Amino acid sequence: AAYETTLHATGQYPEWWTGYRFDHPTEGWACGTTSETTRDIVQRELLGPEDAIGTGMIPGDLIVHTTARPHGAPGSIETISVRHVSGGTSKVALKSYEQGRRSFEGTEKDWIWCDEEPPEPCYTEMKLRTMTTRGIIYTTFTPLQGMSEVVKSFLEPENEKAGDYMYYVQAGWDHAPHLDEEEKKALLATTPLYQHRARTLGEPTLGVGAIYPIAEDD
């Protein structure tokens, strides 16, 4: 998702890219759960660590400037201006869900990246922000909140038409061959059973009281 965000901000799409493309400088949001996680995860992926800005996914020579967030976690960046291949400048704003639904009102956005599952009111507001831009929203998260409204909208669309505009990829540990087998065993041994399928397969967790099927002869 950090790579896709970089493509939309820079316009430097590789030839093999078959996903969504913009042919102009864009404005978008990169969002996290709190100001701290937005700084530590989203900001770091895009820019690099605080003492090495420009070593993240966005090439350093394409970062025009950044502005610090006046309030929130120390070291937080609020906006990133990125040089676009057209000669213009794209704007990436970093936001958190803790700011609430109202902070997502009013403005047009070409794209929105949600890192970790957003609350449904925030997510609905985000969708409205892409209405006039024919924009896109992409989310990356482990479904630890179970069959929430956001998860359900992807897995069980309310109608066939809704399904035409949504797509999801379910990925698990087996899709990440760089993970160490012994480390996976250690993590599973120390992870609550009810979270195993969500953590390893990307399936929505059912909660602490989940009932697991057993064979009749058990």
Side-chain angles (χ1 to χ4, degrees):
Y3 178 63
E4 179 167 356
T5 294
T6 299
L7 297 185
H8 295 326
T10 64
Q12 294 185 347
Y13 299 98
E15 291 185 3
W16 52 262
W17 181 259
T18 59
Y20 210 97
R21 289 176 180 248
F22 294 96
D23 59 3
H24 56 80
T26 63
E27 288 197 16
W29 285 329
C31 309
T33 305
T34 67
S35 59
E36 287 82 6
T37 59
T38 300
R39 177 198 62 193
D40 296 343
I41 301 173
V42 178
Q43 177 180 314
R44 188 183 180 92
E45 289 295 327
L46 293 176
L47 296 177
E50 185 179 352
D51 59 354
I53 297 298
T55 61
M57 192 64 71
I58 301 175
D61 60 341
L62 297 183
I63 299 173
V64 179
H65 64 80
T66 63
T67 59
R69 183 174 297 282
H71 307 289
S76 294
I77 298 296
E78 185 169 47
T79 61
I80 311 167
S81 295
V82 182
R83 187 173 294 107
H84 190 268
V85 293
S86 66
T89 302
S90 295
K91 182 178 179 181
V92 180
L94 303 179
K95 295 180 68 66
S96 67
Y97 312 140
E98 69 180 357
Q99 293 174 270
R101 180 194 64 79
R102 297 186 65 178
S103 71
F104 294 95
E105 293 178 345
T107 59
E108 298 178 339
K109 297 300 167 189
D110 296 297
W111 55 265
I112 301 172
W113 167 26
C114 296
D115 181 62
E116 297 305 338
E117 182 179 352
E120 194 277 332
C122 292
Y123 188 62
T124 296
E125 201 64 47
M126 291 180 203
K127 288 190 286 186
L128 294 174
R129 304 285 70 81
T130 64
M131 181 183 297
T132 57
T133 63
R134 300 182 65 84
I136 183 175
I137 301 177
Y138 40 102
T139 66
T140 49
F141 63 89
T142 300
L144 295 176
Q145 299 183 49
M147 285 295 283
S148 64
E149 289 301 315
V150 173
V151 171
K152 189 175 180 180
S153 69
F154 283 93
L155 301 184
E156 300 176 1
E158 292 187 1
N159 53 71
E160 292 185 7
K161 197 64 176 177
D164 292 341
Y165 300 100
M166 307 179 75
Y167 178 77
Y168 71 91
V169 174
Q170 187 171 332
W173 286 5
D174 289 343
H175 297 94
H178 62 281
L179 296 179
D180 182 78
E181 290 300 322
E182 288 303 314
E183 188 66 19
K184 288 195 289 187
K185 290 179 182 178
L187 285 172
L188 278 180
T190 57
T191 298
L193 181 61
Y194 73 91
Q195 289 188 6
H196 279 198
R197 296 184 70 83
R199 295 287 187 185
T200 63
L201 300 176
E203 295 182 0
T205 185
L206 297 178
V208 176
I211 298 175
Y212 294 89
I214 58 176
E216 290 185 3
D217 56 1
D218 286 350

